[in-house]
Amino acid sequence: MKATLTASSAASKFRKGRIGLLVFGLVIVALLMLPCSRTADSARLEETAGPGSLRTNTDLQDELKIWEDNDGQLTIKDVASPAMDSLFIPYKTSGLSGSIKGSTYWVKLDLFNASSRTRELLLELSKPHLSRVTLYQFDDERHFLRQTRTGRSLPFNERTFNHRNFIFNLSFPPESGQRLYFQIQTDSYLQLPMKLWETQSFIEREQRSGLLFGMYYGIMFAMALYNSFLFVSIRDRVYLYYVLFIVSFAVMQAVWDGFAYQYLWPEHPAWELKSNPVLIVLTCLFTCAFSRTFLSVPKYSPRVNKLMCAFIAGLVLTLPGMIFMSPGLCTKLAVYLASASILVCLSAVAAVRFRMRSVFFYIASWLVLFAGSTLNILAAYKLLPLNFLSLYSVRFGSVAETLLLSVALADRFNLIKQEKLLEEKQGILLKNLHEMTKKLTSTHDLDKLLHYTLISLSKVTACENGFILLKNAEGYVLNASVGSGLWEGLHLTELETEPFFGVLIREKRLLLHSDPGAASFRLIPGTKTCIGIPILYRDRVLGLVVLYSYFSKSFAESERVILRDFAGQIGISIENARLFSEINRMASTDGLTGVYNRSYFMSLANRHLSQCWSMDKPLSLIMVDIDHFKSINDRHGHFAGDKVIQETAKRLAELAQPRGIIGRYGGEEFVILLPGIPPKQAYRLAEIMRKSISASPVPLEDSNSIRYTISLGVAAASPDTSGITMLIDQADQALYKAKNNGRNCVKEYETTGHFA
C-alpha cells in the first residue's frame, strides 16, 4: 500500500502535543492517528514541501503481512523467493496478534520512496518483549542489502540504537523502494506496533514521552517513599504490602516499557525473558496481601480469608518454580494467576461489602485502573482511536489508583488517630475493667464480678442507683444492686411486658427512658434519668444492667458506644465465670471420647517416665490406630465414625485398667501408658486389645453394625530413652510396621535393653 503523509496534519499533531506538554499531561488531548491512503502494493513515502515533512510519521500495522513458520526451518532465502509471496496474509486479519507460540513469524513490509531525494528514516518496533528480531532488507530488484539482529534475548548493548524499543535505520534513495522481511521469535504475546519516523519527529516524540514517563515513575517512587515512612512510623503491615505493590507494579511497567532492560539489567537477557511473568506474579502476590489486610478480610470473612491465604501461598510457591519453566509457559501461567487474583480480590470485596469506609476507596481505585487498561486494550484493537488518552491510559489509571489508595491509607491513618483518642477517653472504663478482670482471675466469683461491674458503671454514669438482672431458665433474677436498688412494683416474671424492658430485650441495644418506645415506663417518683444496658454474649442476652438517678444526666452518642462496649466486656467476663468450671474439666479430657487429651497425657507421661527413671521400674507404651478409618467415614458417615472412636476409647480404657493411662493422640490414634509394666506383658495386653476390638462390632442406630480392626505398636522405656517424645516415636515406628504388615496386628519396637 502507498500512504501520503501531509505536512499540515503533522503540524497539527505537533501543536496538540505541545498543549499536552504545557499542562504536564493532565489535559486529555484527542490526538487521532494520522490517516493513511492505501494502494495495493506498498506504503508510499512522498516528499512534501516545507519543513513539516521532517515531523511526519506513518503507522505501518495496516501494511504488514505475516506468515507463520511452525517448524522454524526456513531461511531468508526460502522466504524471500517469489513463490512465497502468496503465502503472506495481512497481519490485521491473520488472527496471530496476541498469540503465544513456539513458532517463527515472518513479517513482510514493502516501502517506496516517491520523492526526488534520499530519505533517511527510522523504523520503530515498539514491542520490547520480542525475544529475537532479525531484519533483512532487499531493494526493488530483490537484491539483498543488509541484515540487522536484535531482541531481548541478546545483551542490550548489542543494539544499534540505545533505545528501549527496537529501532532500525532505513535509507531510501530517490524513486526507489525496499522490501523488508522480519524474522520474529517471541516468548510473550505477539504484537507488532510499528512506525516510520523521521529523525526530528522521533526526537520530539521522545522528549514528550520522556517527560510523561518521568512524571509517572516519579509519582510512583514518591508514593512508595511516602508510604515507606508511614510503615516505619506506624508499623502497620498494610503499608509495607502497599509499598511492595507499588514497587513491583512500577518495575513491571518498566519491563513493559523497555526501561528495565535498558537501565536495570542490560547484561542479563536470561532474566529479561522471565522478568515480566515473575513481576506479574509478584504484583498479584502483594495485591492480594494488601487487599486482605486493607479490607480486614480475616475479621469479616474467615472463609474468604482462608481462600486468600491459600492463594497467596500458591503464588509464593509458584515464584521459585518459574526458574525451571520456559518463558512462554511462565507468561501464560502469570496471565492465569493474574486473572485468578482479580477474582480473589473481588471475592474479598463481596465478603466485606460496604461495612467499612475503606471499601469505597478500594473499589474506586481499581475501577480507575480497570478503565485505563480497558481504553488501552480497545485502542490496541482499533476499536478506539490511538490518541494521547488511550496511549497513556494505563499509566494515568495506575497513578490515579496509587493516589486513591494512598488517600485511603491516609484515611486509615486518621482513623487510627481517632481510635487512639477514643482509647484515651475510655481510660477510666478500661482501668475499671482491668481491675475487674484481675479480681475475676483471682476469685472467679460471679457475685463479686457483678458487684464490681455495678459499682464501676455507677461511677462512670454518675447514676447513684442501679441493679443487675441475670437471665436463667425461668426468667430474670436480681443478682446485684447499688443505692436504692430494685424499686417496688417491678415484676421480674413479666419483665418483657414493660415497654422499657421490652425494647431493651428485643432490640438488644442501650436505651434511655427518654428514647422512643420507652417513655411510658413507670419510674420511681422523682427519677430523672434511667439507662438500660443489655449484657450480651455472641448476640445472646445474658442479663440487664439498669442505672437510674434523681438528677438529670445527658449521654452523647460516643458515651453510649463506650457503655455498650463495656457491657460487651461484662458479658464475656460473666460467660467466662460461668464456664470456668467447665473449662477446668475440659482442659484435661478429650470432648468426644472422655479420655485424656494429648497435652494433658504428655504431662502425665513425662511425670511417670521420671518416676520410672528414679525408681528403676519398667514402663511401656502402646500406640493404637484404627485401620481404614477413612473408609468407615466414607461408607457410614462421620457420625458413625465418631461412634467407632468413642467405642474404641471405651474398650481400650476398660482393658488397660487398673494401671493404664489412655489418651487421644490424634484423629483415630490413641496412646496408652503402662507404668510398671514390662514390654512382654504390654505386648500381651496389646494382643488382647486387638482381638477384643476385632471381635466386637459397633452397633449403629439403623440396626446395622461396623466391624473393624486396629493396629498397635509397642515400645518400652530403656536407659537410652531421652524423653516421652522419643518413646512415642518408637511406638509409632512399631505401629507403622504393623500397618505395613497388613494391619490388624501388633508389632514391638526392638531396643537394646529395658529397665528392670
Side-chain angles (χ1 to χ4, degrees), residues 65-84:
K65 294 186 178 181
I66 191 170
W67 181 71
E68 181 181 5
D69 182 7
N70 295 313
D71 299 328
Q73 301 296 322
L74 297 183
T75 64
I76 183 59
K77 184 177 180 181
D78 300 326
V79 174
S81 64
M84 293 289 293

Side-chain angles (χ1 to χ4, degrees), residues 175 193 318 334 338 356 449 463 487 627:
E175 300 292 339
T318 299
M356 53 189 300
L449 167 65
C463 291
W487 53 75
D627 296 331

Side-chain angles (χ1 to χ4, degrees), residues 413-525:
F413 179 72
N414 290 331
L415 290 177
I416 292 175
K417 290 177 62 177
Q418 293 175 8
E419 289 175 359
K420 289 183 178 179
L421 293 175
L422 182 61
E423 288 176 1
E424 293 177 0
K425 293 180 180 179
Q426 292 176 330
I428 297 177
L429 288 176
L430 294 176
K431 182 178 179 180
N432 291 337
L433 181 60
H434 179 65
E435 293 297 325
M436 289 168 45
T437 303
K438 289 196 299 184
K439 293 180 180 180
L440 174 63
T441 304
S442 60
T443 63
H444 300 291
D445 190 322
L446 182 59
D447 292 334
K448 289 184 178 180
L449 167 65
L450 296 176
H451 178 72
Y452 299 147
T453 298
L454 195 56
I455 293 296
S456 300
L457 287 176
S458 177
K459 291 180 179 179
V460 170
T461 60
C463 291
E464 64 275 12
N465 307 293
F467 52 89
I468 294 181
L469 307 175
L470 287 189
K471 186 178 182 180
N472 58 19
E474 298 178 356
Y476 289 88
V477 178
L478 177 67
N479 287 83
S481 63
V482 65
S484 300
L486 186 67
W487 53 75
E488 297 180 1
L490 181 64
H491 300 287
L492 298 182
T493 57
E494 302 175 357
L495 200 62
E496 295 187 4
T497 62
E498 293 284 356
F500 182 83
F501 287 96
V503 175
L504 190 64
I505 294 171
R506 288 193 303 271
E507 299 185 9
K508 304 176 184 178
R509 61 181 176 87
L510 182 145
L511 189 64
L512 290 172
H513 77 280
S514 57
D515 290 342
S520 60
F521 175 59
R522 298 187 302 274
L523 299 177
I524 295 179

Side-chain angles (χ1 to χ4, degrees), residues 366-669:
W366 288 109
L367 284 178
V368 170
L369 180 59
F370 176 76
S373 302
T374 302
L375 284 177
N376 190 263
I377 293 172
L378 293 176
Y381 286 101
K382 301 293 184 181
L383 298 177
L384 287 179
L386 184 62
N387 51 33
F388 181 84
L389 174 61
S390 59
L391 182 62
Y392 294 101
S393 58
V394 175
R395 294 169 185 83
F396 289 150
S398 60
V399 167
E401 182 223 21
T402 303
L403 294 175
L404 282 172
L405 288 178
S406 296
V407 170
L409 289 173
D411 179 70
R412 180 188 177 96
F413 179 72
N414 290 331
L415 290 177
I416 292 175
K417 290 177 62 177
Q418 293 175 8
E419 289 175 359
K420 289 183 178 179
L421 293 175
L422 182 61
E423 288 176 1
E424 293 177 0
K425 293 180 180 179
Q426 292 176 330
I428 297 177
L429 288 176
L430 294 176
K431 182 178 179 180
N432 291 337
L433 181 60
H434 179 65
E435 293 297 325
M436 289 168 45
T437 303
K438 289 196 299 184
K439 293 180 180 180
L440 174 63
T441 304
S442 60
T443 63
H444 300 291
D445 190 322
L446 182 59
D447 292 334
K448 289 184 178 180
L449 167 65
L450 296 176
H451 178 72
Y452 299 147
T453 298
L454 195 56
I455 293 296
S456 300
L457 287 176
S458 177
K459 291 180 179 179
V460 170
T461 60
C463 291
E464 64 275 12
N465 307 293
F467 52 89
I468 294 181
L469 307 175
L470 287 189
K471 186 178 182 180
N472 58 19
E474 298 178 356
Y476 289 88
V477 178
L478 177 67
N479 287 83
S481 63
V482 65
S484 300
L486 186 67
W487 53 75
E488 297 180 1
L490 181 64
H491 300 287
L492 298 182
T493 57
E494 302 175 357
L495 200 62
E496 295 187 4
T497 62
E498 293 284 356
F500 182 83
F501 287 96
V503 175
L504 190 64
I505 294 171
R506 288 193 303 271
E507 299 185 9
K508 304 176 184 178
R509 61 181 176 87
L510 182 145
L511 189 64
L512 290 172
H513 77 280
S514 57
D515 290 342
S520 60
F521 175 59
R522 298 187 302 274
L523 299 177
I524 295 179
T527 300
K528 300 293 183 64
T529 302
C530 182
I531 180 172
I533 307 172
I535 302 175
L536 303 177
Y537 180 77
R538 294 184 177 177
D539 204 39
R540 178 166 53 91
V541 178
L542 298 182
L544 304 173
V545 179
V546 178
L547 301 162
Y548 62 96
S549 175
Y550 297 103
F551 302 93
S552 297
K553 310 289 181 182
S554 60
F555 297 92
E557 182 62 29
S558 60
E559 293 175 310
R560 295 191 184 197
V561 172
I562 293 174
L563 291 174
R564 186 175 63 248
D565 293 342
F566 193 20
Q569 295 294 330
I570 297 170
I572 295 174
S573 300
I574 292 175
E575 191 67 14
N576 287 341
R578 286 178 170 179
L579 297 178
F580 180 73
S581 60
E582 182 67 16
I583 290 174
N584 283 337
R585 184 189 67 81
M586 296 175 60
S588 60
T589 58
D590 174 62
L592 180 64
T593 61
V595 301
Y596 291 127
N597 58 32
R598 179 173 177 170
S599 60
Y600 193 76
F601 174 85
M602 295 292 286
S603 176
L604 285 177
N606 276 315
R607 292 203 295 268
H608 281 286
L609 182 60
S610 298
Q611 292 176 2
C612 289
W613 278 338
S614 61
M615 302 175 64
D616 199 20
K617 289 186 177 181
L619 181 141
S620 300
L621 187 139
I622 302 174
M623 181 74 75
V624 182
D625 184 78
I626 301 174
D627 296 331
H628 304 293
F629 181 73
K630 184 178 182 302
S631 64
I632 294 176
N633 277 335
D634 294 340
R635 292 197 309 268
H636 303 283
H638 289 278
F639 180 79
D642 289 345
K643 190 170 184 180
V644 168
I645 291 177
Q646 290 173 328
E647 289 296 323
T648 302
K650 179 180 177 182
R651 295 174 190 176
L652 293 177
E654 292 173 352
L655 294 173
Q657 294 297 326
R659 295 186 182 181
I661 300 171
I662 180 171
R664 188 178 180 186
Y665 194 74
E668 66 273 13
E669 288 185 329

Side-chain angles (χ1 to χ4, degrees), residues 20-292:
L21 180 60
L22 290 175
V23 295
F24 296 99
L26 301 179
V27 177
I28 300 173
V29 184
L31 297 176
L32 301 177
M33 297 300 294
L34 295 175
C36 301
S37 61
R38 296 177 173 84
T39 64
D41 298 323
S42 62
R44 183 177 181 88
L45 306 176
E46 293 188 356
E47 183 180 14
T48 56
S53 60
L54 297 178
R55 292 185 293 273
T56 300
N57 71 84
T58 304
D59 185 1
L60 301 175
Q61 287 202 67
D62 292 340
E63 324 302 331
L64 300 179
K65 294 186 178 181
I66 191 170
W67 181 71
E68 181 181 5
D69 182 7
N70 295 313
D71 299 328
Q73 301 296 322
L74 297 183
T75 64
I76 183 59
K77 184 177 180 181
D78 300 326
V79 174
S81 64
M84 293 289 293
D85 290 348
S86 60
L87 298 180
F88 283 86
I89 59 177
Y91 168 68
K92 289 189 64 176
T93 60
S94 65
L96 296 176
S97 178
S99 61
I100 301 180
K101 298 181 181 179
S103 304
T104 298
Y105 300 96
W106 290 93
V107 179
K108 184 177 67 170
L109 175 62
D110 292 329
L111 298 174
F112 184 78
N113 177 23
S115 66
S116 59
R117 64 182 180 88
T118 300
R119 305 290 298 277
E120 299 291 339
L121 301 175
L122 299 177
L123 188 146
E124 179 186 24
L125 178 55
S126 52
K127 176 65 176 176
H129 296 159
L130 299 177
S131 302
R132 188 178 294 269
V133 179
T134 304
L135 171 60
Y136 301 94
Q137 296 177 244
F138 292 82
D139 62 13
D140 289 338
E141 304 298 328
R142 295 183 181 266
H143 295 149
F144 178 73
L145 298 177
R146 66 181 61 86
Q147 170 185 336
T148 306
R149 295 178 60 190
T150 185
R152 67 172 183 162
S153 63
L154 302 176
F156 190 86
N157 57 15
E158 294 185 9
R159 298 187 182 184
T160 306
F161 287 85
N162 184 14
H163 194 270
R164 58 192 178 88
N165 293 327
F166 304 124
I167 308 298
F168 303 95
N169 191 10
L170 303 180
S171 178
F172 294 88
E175 300 292 339
S176 66
Q178 287 188 22
R179 171 166 290 187
L180 308 181
Y181 287 95
F182 296 87
Q183 184 184 19
I184 296 175
Q185 295 172 328
T186 180
D187 293 304
S188 179
Y189 291 100
L190 176 67
Q191 290 176 335
L192 300 174
M194 199 176 297
K195 278 188 178 183
L196 271 177
W197 295 92
E198 298 209 29
T199 304
Q200 182 66 23
S201 180
F202 180 77
I203 293 174
E204 291 174 357
R205 194 286 305 266
E206 284 298 294
Q207 290 176 343
R208 294 193 299 271
S209 61
L211 176 60
L212 292 174
F213 282 130
M215 291 174 59
Y216 171 75
Y217 290 109
I219 291 174
M220 299 295 281
F221 174 77
M223 289 296 100
L225 188 63
Y226 166 72
N227 286 281
S228 297
F229 288 139
L230 289 179
F231 169 69
V232 172
S233 60
I234 301 176
R235 297 293 180 182
D236 190 345
R237 284 184 300 174
V238 69
Y239 293 95
L240 175 62
Y241 294 145
Y242 185 55
V243 170
L244 293 174
F245 161 73
I246 293 175
V247 172
S248 60
F249 187 88
V251 177
M252 179 183 68
Q253 190 67 53
V255 171
W256 292 352
D257 294 332
F259 291 116
Y261 194 33
Q262 184 178 8
Y263 296 110
L264 300 181
W265 47 78
E267 301 298 326
H268 301 283
W271 162 244
E272 168 65 15
L273 291 174
K274 292 187 178 181
S275 59
N276 183 40
V278 169
L279 286 165
I280 291 176
V281 174
L282 278 175
T283 303
C284 295
L285 170 63
F286 297 131
T287 299
C288 292
F290 168 77
S291 301
R292 174 179 173 271

